Amino acid sequence: MRNSLTFLTRTPVVAALLVALGVAAEFASGSTVQIWSFLLVNILLAQSINVLTGVAGQISLGHAGFLGIGAYGSALLMKNLGLPLPLALVAGAGMGGAGGWLLSFAAGRVREFYLAMMTLGFGMIFYEVVREWTSLTGGVVGLSGVPSPGLRTLTLFGWRIDPVAYFQITLAVVAGVVWLLRNFITSPYGRAFFAIHVSEVAAGSIGVARAATKRNAYTLSAALAGLAGGFYAHLVGYLGPETFGLHRSVEALVMAVVGGLGTLTGPILGAVVFTYLPEKLQVFAEYQFMVYGLILLLSFVLLPRGLAGLLLPRPRFSKDVEALPPPPPAHRAAAGTGPLLSAEGVSISFLGLRALDNASVTLGAGEILGLVGPNGSGKSTLVNIISGIYRPTDGKVSFDGGILTGLPDHAVARRGVLRTFQDPRLVPSFTVRENVLLGGHRLYRQNPLAASLNLPGALREDAEMLGRAEAILAMAGLSHLADTPVRDLPYGDQRMTELSRVILANPRLVMLDEPAAGLSEGELHKLGGLVRHLKEQGVGVILIEHHMDFLNELVDRVVVLDSGRVIYQGAMAGMYRDPAVVAAYLGTETHPGETVHA
Amino acid sequence: MPENTGLDIQGLEVRYGPVQAVRGVSLRAEPGTITAILGANGAGKSSLMKAISGLAPVAAGSIRLDGEDITRLSPHERARRGLSHALEGRRLFHRMSVEENLRVAWDFRNRGGSFKAVADRVYDQFPMLTARRDTPAGMLSGGQQQMVILSAALIHEPRYLLLDEPSLGLAPVIVQQIFGFIESVCRERRTTILLCEQVAAIALRVAHAGCVLRRGQVVRSGEAADLAADPTLSAAYLGG
Amino acid sequence: MHFVLQLIFAGVCVGAVYALIAMGLSLTFWTTRTLNFGQGSLLMTASVGTVAMLGAGMPAAVAVPLGVLLAGGLMVIAERIAIRPLLKAGDSMGWVVSTLGLGIFLQGFVSTVFGSQAIAFPSLVFDSMDFVDLAGVQVSSQYLAVLGLSLTLMVAMELFLRRSAWGRAVRAVSHDADAAALAGIPVRRVIVLSFVASGVLAGIAGVMVAQITGTVDPGFGFNLMVLGFVAAVFGGMGNTAGALVGGIALGVIEKLVGGYVSTAAEHGMAFAILMVILAIRPQGLFGRKEFTKV
């Protein structure tokens, strides 16, 4: 079933279908064309909520508000000010987008049910405002006389538009928008949305600025909903507040959820189902609310990936470009005087517990440093401070002549300080290759418009990045798994994928938090090879690791932490004989006779 | 009351998704002894303990307590059979007072008797808790928190006690005191104790037997004294 | 002057009811870290069920407790089918969608069976025209009774949480479910208990609001739930006192806005307050920031 429907997503097939639909409208009955136009509006609305909820992971229970802003905006501008249709539609989308942008400042600060409640509140406030602002919106009586093709009151450049022409215009616009969206979602910007969705901390670690990315998602989504609203307003010629109540927001969400969140085809399928079912089944309409409720209640359990997940193959999250051979490694400017990284006198406390106490560490370019110490000694905390996740209460971190302390994590990553996590934090639905491409985030130079229009410069950059990704995958021994979604892979392969993602970022300093944990002997060998490769490239590497044999073969130096303090710095061999280290690991020196020496 | 025949673990496997934390561990704790479970961070000690108390998923193998198979029982059912587990990292109820922490430990395994008498005994044992009985547990010092955890775990005189890293983050003098107490519990109440420690020397000082875990497997086991004298022990930790 | 006092008094009374709903929402939030978006519809279903039982000639002393129990029972069902399976799946959005779906289903069900018009809810104890003279101010007996009952229930909740084994178990599970299980606490049963208690509180709140407004309709529970949530967020979702202060503050603001601006602005104002609080202090006015480890 999945593969037999694949042809439906091919470009020539889609183009032929669109033309056929446009032509068929000339011969279809008036009510059919009307339903088709409704379907197009629903597709836009479902795509809109999908961008925000499905792609960027920010749930919205108030999308009817954005739809309404666009609808009233476009209708009033045309009716009261006589703006031409294209300008009114664009203005409606712009007003929706502005609403989303404004909401993102508040909504970007909260998550999960707080976000659900906040977006719900936004939708309710919009609904109340429309009801009460009678002088502008007509209140509960509604706003009639909106220029509309059904009443033959809509003109474009002096040309009177009939419902068929209106459908054709809408079809062309919706097809164009979906094409742009497809390009956007498969661009670095779209992948950044997914990264925020899965883990904000991991997204920050590859240089994705979470607040700005969320703001973009809200703005884009709300602008799409506003556009849908504009098309809706002129389609029906009458607006009432009841159209933009909670049930409409829920309907939008249902379409996207049932169709399949996070895909482009899902919202289209969902829109088809929910435009036709209530229209075709009169008996259904009476129970519409109950049926919606049941669908929402059960869809996540029965259809976790929606209709698209059931019927269609997995969508791609990168562009279909031919990989260009990777450029020869750029010659790195030799590090200036002084170390690459230096953390000086760093201290931090949590809940009164001193996790790091005046710890100082330095690292040179091309040096591998092992960071060891018992559980809870502060190793991960130090890495979190360097990468900007925690802010130290005392001390400072400098990197390559600049100060890192106080910078947010994505800004630290953008300077070339990359890290991995104890538990690999990848986008589970992405393939290995797509996850690795995420690492390139800090390097992309294309702008969102070029990415959405598939301009040659953007495609060339994608092809170059893909070429580098393929080379790194080959080095990591992951080439044969490049097209496998990482959620289907064992732990070791996920770790190697995360490390490959870091390498693609062209890092200058890499911090690996227990990279060897859970790896087999063969995987350990590959991991060691990748770490040595980084060293040869002049990258500084910090390894938090308990696997001493593994460290022994790799590191130039170790730093041992105990209770937040540095208790040893120097060669690995000396560590085994250092009384403080032995005491920290094996026991206090209070009973020397029982202490075990190596 | 079932016969006190000890804790018997056969071929235990613990998996979290793709990660295998414990691989085929078999071990036996004789009644009334302390068994030290040693190994570096990430060796699978905590996962083993959690599998015994019911918090971690058991993929294969069996756990027998006094001859009864408890592998499939829920944690609270195991607790009611006299198995007590003090978690790593001072996990007590931080916003509840010291007394409430003891009370919560008492309520659901209650087999009659007076809470007041039991609480008074705790305060006799650790006089420095007396003044702090109404203080939220989160405000106590690390050593005091460990005392509350131990007291709560022992409030029903369990026949089995699992202790995960009781020395973590404590000053040496407090560690001495805590381990002295653990030793006395075993001696006086005949409690069977499994003791997880990274700090091997302290654990082996009080333990009768021990085993060393490495990457989820038992690599060495035997009498505590033999283990303490074994040069391979340090290799298990430091890899040298 | 009397007008202000009357508004404030009315605000305190309805605010105490919001506090009950807030308390119910907080209870289940503590034990499962979820928010039941179907709570409003459950409450409404229970109120409509009570009206139906009264209409069938059942005495109020039977119908009201049955209605309240219905709310508790529905909450257990909600936990079983709309929350537990979704928490296992691990997606943070799943339970938002499923509990909302359950609520919409119930609302649709009640609309289909009883119609979507407002149904008269008979006066049980006091009529809306009963007044008592309190220090020279005419005070509605109904409001006074509602305030008294709400405060009593809040005190009872506080005592339950502090003094009873099961109440302490609810708090223990909300702090650390694993540690609670090791202390012998049957965690699943405690979670179910928190849902029953949440439903009972919501059910009683629903009956009391219906007494004041005189009618129930399929949409009324949803608004109440939102108000309860605003009150809970106001109070920080941390404890009984927070819920009470949050509820009363919300009730007073709402009545003052209704009295001096417009009753139509009451709800918009509640939502606006919610959004402002969430944006400025996501942990609530009286809440503590939760410490999260990376």
Side-chain angles (χ1 to χ4, degrees):
Chain A
M1 181 98 138
R2 278 195 193 194
N3 290 330
S4 62
L5 287 175
T6 312
F7 76 94
L8 279 176
T9 58
R10 299 238 164 83
T11 315
V13 179
V14 172
L17 270 177
L18 289 174
V19 171
L21 265 177
V23 173
E26 300 281 353
F27 305 99
S29 72
S31 62
T32 306
V33 174
Q34 177 90 353
I35 289 187
W36 286 359
S37 296
F38 271 121
L39 170 61
L40 292 174
V41 169
N42 277 341
I43 287 176
L44 268 187
L45 181 61
Q47 291 292 1
S48 151
I49 200 165
N50 179 49
V51 165
L52 188 60
T53 304
V55 179
Q58 312 296 310
I59 194 165
S60 168
L61 297 181
H63 240 60
F66 300 125
L67 183 78
I69 291 176
Y72 279 96
S74 178
L76 289 168
L77 285 173
M78 206 166 174
K79 182 177 177 234
N80 296 354
L81 300 179
L83 235 61
L85 178 67
L87 276 185
L89 288 173
V90 169
M95 288 158 78
W101 183 76
L102 280 176
L103 182 66
S104 73
F105 286 92
R109 293 172 53 90
V110 292
R111 244 168 257 171
E112 295 188 3
F113 56 84
Y114 287 114
L115 178 61
M117 265 293 169
M118 186 180 266
T119 51
L120 187 100
F122 162 74
M124 297 299 240
I125 290 174
F126 176 81
Y127 170 75
E128 305 251 333
V129 166
V130 168
R131 272 172 63 112
E132 301 304 323
W133 198 348
T134 317
S135 60
L136 187 72
T137 64
V140 285
V141 180
L143 183 74
S144 48
V146 180
S148 144
L151 303 167
R152 302 291 188 276
T153 48
L154 187 70
T155 56
L156 181 64
F157 309 125
W159 170 49
R160 199 163 291 280
I161 295 176
D162 64 8
V164 172
Y166 190 74
F167 165 74
Q168 289 161 339
I169 294 169
T170 317
L171 181 66
V173 171
V174 171
V177 166
V178 172
W179 181 74
L180 290 171
L181 263 183
R182 189 200 65 169
N183 297 342
F184 182 84
I185 285 177
T186 52
S187 80
Y189 294 94
R191 288 194 290 272
F193 281 13
F194 278 104
I196 287 282
H197 182 166
V198 171
S199 162
E200 292 188 17
V201 173
S205 81
I206 52 171
V208 175
R210 73 202 75 176
T213 304
K214 279 191 195 175
R215 204 140 56 228
N216 293 344
Y218 276 96
T219 311
L220 175 62
S221 169
L224 287 173
L227 186 65
F231 275 108
Y232 174 81
H234 300 293
L235 177 62
V236 293
Y238 163 82
L239 296 176
E242 296 310 318
T243 315
F244 305 103
L246 173 69
H247 72 96
R248 198 58 187 269
S249 297
V250 169
E251 189 190 60
L253 189 61
V254 169
M255 287 191 294
V257 167
V258 172
L261 285 172
T263 66
L264 271 178
T265 41
I268 299 177
L269 293 175
V272 171
V273 170
F274 286 94
T275 309
Y276 273 93
L277 276 186
E279 298 280 347
K280 290 289 174 197
L281 300 170
Q282 279 305 312
V283 61
F284 201 66
E286 194 184 328
Y287 296 98
Q288 195 172 328
F289 238 37
M290 280 168 74
V291 173
Y292 271 174
L294 270 186
I295 289 170
L296 280 183
L297 180 58
L298 301 174
S299 60
F300 263 89
V301 173
L302 298 182
L303 270 185
R305 284 183 238 171
L307 290 172
L310 192 71
L311 298 175
L312 294 169
R314 184 190 163 279
R316 298 173 57 98
F317 298 102
S318 64
K319 284 181 187 166
D320 194 5
V321 289
E322 204 62 48
L324 285 173
H331 184 70
R332 277 172 197 280
T337 52
L340 181 67
L341 173 89
S342 103
E344 291 161 39
V346 173
S347 301
I348 190 170
S349 301
F350 298 117
L351 300 171
L353 192 76
R354 207 145 176 86
L356 273 182
D357 190 357
N358 198 19
S360 297
V361 171
T362 59
L363 178 75
E367 190 182 14
I368 303 177
L369 177 76
L371 195 54
V372 300
N375 206 347
S377 58
K379 306 179 299 288
S380 291
T381 306
L382 181 60
V383 166
N384 283 336
I385 284 176
I386 295 173
S387 53
I389 292 172
Y390 297 153
R391 190 169 291 200
T393 42
D394 255 315
K396 69 168 187 175
V397 179
S398 44
F399 171 72
D400 194 27
I403 303 287
L404 291 187
T405 327
L407 288 182
D409 53 353
H410 62 89
V412 172
R414 285 192 161 267
R415 296 194 176 196
V417 179
L418 277 287
R419 50 105 32 110
T420 62
F421 296 88
Q422 275 182 27
D423 48 323
R425 297 193 184 179
L426 301 162
V427 179
S429 60
F430 275 21
T431 62
V432 168
R433 182 186 290 114
E434 288 158 355
N435 268 295
V436 172
L437 282 174
L438 267 176
H441 191 83
R442 78 182 193 97
L443 304 173
Y444 283 105
R445 294 287 167 264
Q446 55 188 276
N447 64 51
L449 195 64
S452 305
L453 289 170
N454 272 359
L455 293 185
L459 288 182
R460 189 183 162 75
E461 191 180 36
D462 287 337
E464 281 169 4
M465 197 62 83
L466 189 62
R468 289 195 49 225
E470 298 293 354
I472 290 165
L473 285 172
M475 195 162 58
L478 290 171
S479 294
H480 63 294
L481 298 172
D483 289 312
T484 313
V486 294
R487 76 160 130 273
D488 301 334
L489 289 178
Y491 201 61
D493 293 325
Q494 294 198 16
R495 279 203 171 284
M496 296 304 275
T497 304
E498 198 189 26
L499 182 57
S500 304
R501 182 175 79 183
V502 162
I503 295 175
L504 184 74
N506 244 342
R508 314 220 18 232
L509 170 65
V510 169
M511 297 180 285
L512 306 177
D513 198 346
E514 302 198 16
L519 295 194
S520 68
E521 290 301 326
E523 288 165 337
L524 278 181
H525 188 71
K526 267 189 281 180
L527 173 66
L530 288 178
V531 171
R532 277 192 204 94
H533 166 79
L534 286 171
K535 180 185 171 77
E536 284 158 19
Q537 301 282 308
V539 178
V541 181
I542 294 179
L543 281 172
I544 294 185
E545 196 41 74
H546 297 289
H547 195 314
M548 297 297 172
D549 298 340
F550 176 73
L551 278 185
N552 215 358
E553 291 171 15
L554 283 171
V555 299
D556 299 304
R557 215 152 47 87
V558 286
V559 166
V560 184
L561 284 175
D562 185 36
S563 305
R565 278 186 291 269
V566 175
I567 56 168
Y568 177 84
Q569 290 213 49
M572 192 120 180
M575 178 181 86
Y576 299 115
R577 289 185 298 275
D578 187 86
V581 176
V582 173
Y585 266 97
L586 298 177
T588 47
E589 283 288 273
T590 43
H591 297 261
E594 291 174 55
T595 307
V596 189
H597 290 274
Chain B
M1 170 101 26
E3 208 183 334
N4 198 344
T5 58
L7 176 69
D8 220 330
I9 294 164
Q10 287 297 330
L12 196 70
E13 310 246 332
V14 177
R15 262 184 228 115
Y16 300 103
V19 188
Q20 185 152 15
V22 176
R23 308 162 193 249
V25 166
S26 298
L27 106 103
R28 202 182 139 60
E30 297 296 335
T33 64
I34 298 178
T35 307
I37 299 179
L38 309 172
N41 201 348
K45 305 188 299 290
S46 289
S47 297
L48 172 62
M49 300 284 250
K50 285 182 174 174
I52 298 171
S53 64
L55 291 181
V58 173
S62 70
I63 305 161
R64 286 177 174 277
L65 197 68
D66 294 336
E68 184 196 6
D69 189 341
I70 60 165
T71 320
R72 302 281 155 222
L73 293 185
S74 67
H76 72 266
E77 287 168 320
R78 299 186 203 199
R80 288 177 191 180
R81 278 167 175 72
L83 178 76
S84 205
H85 181 179
L87 287 166
E88 173 191 27
R90 292 193 222 119
R91 297 229 328 239
L92 31 64
F93 305 111
H94 287 254
R95 290 186 195 168
M96 297 169 97
S97 69
V98 168
E99 181 124 338
E100 280 183 319
N101 267 280
L102 299 176
R103 190 78 207 237
V104 162
W106 166 262
D107 283 334
F108 282 83
R109 286 173 288 187
N110 194 354
R111 293 196 204 85
S114 144
F115 171 71
K116 197 180 172 309
V118 178
D120 285 345
R121 210 176 66 202
V122 169
Y123 298 129
D124 284 345
Q125 200 101 51
F126 298 111
M128 67 168 85
L129 293 180
T130 315
R132 316 212 65 176
R133 57 202 293 169
D134 295 321
T135 309
M139 311 283 281
L140 301 182
S141 73
Q144 292 169 333
Q145 289 187 348
Q146 195 60 56
M147 290 169 197
V148 174
I149 289 176
L150 278 174
S151 306
L154 288 167
I155 203 144
H156 285 290
E157 311 236 332
R159 284 168 299 124
Y160 295 89
L161 176 64
L162 313 180
L163 287 175
D164 201 345
E165 305 272 358
S167 76
L168 188 66
L170 298 183
V173 56
I174 306 284
V175 174
Q176 299 275 355
Q177 195 185 343
I178 297 278
F179 275 80
F181 176 68
I182 293 170
E183 208 173 8
S184 74
V185 165
C186 174
R187 199 173 48 238
E188 290 159 20
R189 308 186 196 176
R190 304 285 303 148
T191 309
T192 312
I193 298 176
L194 275 184
L195 175 64
C196 253
E197 262 298 337
Q198 269 189 86
V199 187
I202 313 177
L204 290 176
R205 201 149 62 233
V206 297
H208 303 95
C211 71
V212 181
L213 288 188
R214 192 175 186 192
R215 314 195 88 196
Q217 284 170 313
V218 176
V219 292
R220 183 87 172 75
S221 61
E223 298 286 309
D226 297 344
L227 280 180
D230 189 333
T232 60
L233 177 60
S234 125
Y237 279 88
L238 295 171
Chain C
M1 188 57 205
H2 272 184
F3 184 54
V4 179
L5 285 180
Q6 265 163 5
L7 285 178
I8 290 176
F9 176 70
V12 170
C13 294
V14 295
V17 180
Y18 299 159
L20 288 185
I21 300 170
M23 192 61 214
L25 289 169
S26 302
L27 273 176
T28 54
F29 171 71
W30 294 344
T31 53
T32 59
R33 302 284 144 186
T34 64
L35 182 72
N36 181 2
F37 279 85
Q39 181 119 344
S41 295
L42 297 180
L43 176 165
M44 177 275 301
T45 308
S47 301
V48 172
T50 309
V51 174
M53 286 187 279
L54 289 169
M58 209 180 266
V62 181
V64 172
L66 275 182
V68 168
L69 282 180
L70 175 64
L74 285 171
M75 284 292 277
V76 173
I77 296 173
E79 193 270 338
R80 190 69 195 84
I81 65 174
I83 291 178
R84 203 188 305 179
L86 278 303
L87 282 181
K88 271 191 198 137
D91 191 299
S92 61
M93 264 172 326
W95 56 265
V96 175
V97 173
S98 62
T99 55
L100 191 69
L102 179 66
I104 290 171
F105 172 78
L106 283 175
Q107 206 172 330
F109 176 76
V110 171
S111 307
T112 312
V113 176
F114 295 94
S116 47
Q117 306 308 314
I119 312 166
F121 198 102
S123 298
L124 297 174
V125 185
F126 297 109
D127 206 85
S128 59
M129 301 318 277
D130 292 339
F131 286 95
V132 289
D133 194 80
L134 212 71
V137 182
Q138 288 277 306
V139 172
S140 154
S141 314
Q142 216 170 45
Y143 273 75
L144 211 54
V146 162
L147 179 63
L149 184 55
S150 301
L151 291 179
T152 310
L153 280 170
M154 290 301 275
V155 170
M157 266 323 288
E158 179 67 13
L159 287 176
F160 165 72
L161 289 172
R162 299 246 159 237
R163 300 283 164 82
S164 77
W166 283 93
R168 277 190 296 264
V170 168
R171 289 165 63 213
V173 168
S174 68
H175 282 303
D176 186 338
D178 279 354
L182 293 180
I185 293 173
V187 174
R188 283 245 59 86
R189 256 180 279 164
V190 169
I191 290 176
V192 170
L193 172 74
S194 72
F195 274 81
V196 172
S198 173
V200 165
L201 288 176
I204 296 173
V207 171
M208 288 199 289
V209 171
Q211 280 295 286
I212 292 177
T213 58
T215 58
V216 288
D217 65 74
F220 108 116
F222 187 79
N223 284 336
L224 271 182
M225 176 196 76
V226 170
L227 291 166
F229 184 78
V230 178
V233 170
F234 233 147
M237 304 200 86
N239 52 45
T240 326
L244 192 61
V245 174
I248 289 176
L250 176 69
V252 170
I253 292 171
E254 194 194 50
K255 288 292 167 194
L256 288 176
V257 168
Y260 286 100
V261 186
S262 148
T263 46
E266 276 183 14
H267 276 74
M269 186 57 69
F271 281 113
I273 291 172
L274 170 76
M275 292 180 70
V276 169
I277 296 174
L278 284 179
I280 297 171
R281 267 181 78 87
Q283 70 272 34
L285 287 186
F286 307 103
R288 266 178 289 203
K289 208 166 191 167
E290 300 227 355
F291 178 76
T292 45
K293 202 168 185 287
V294 176

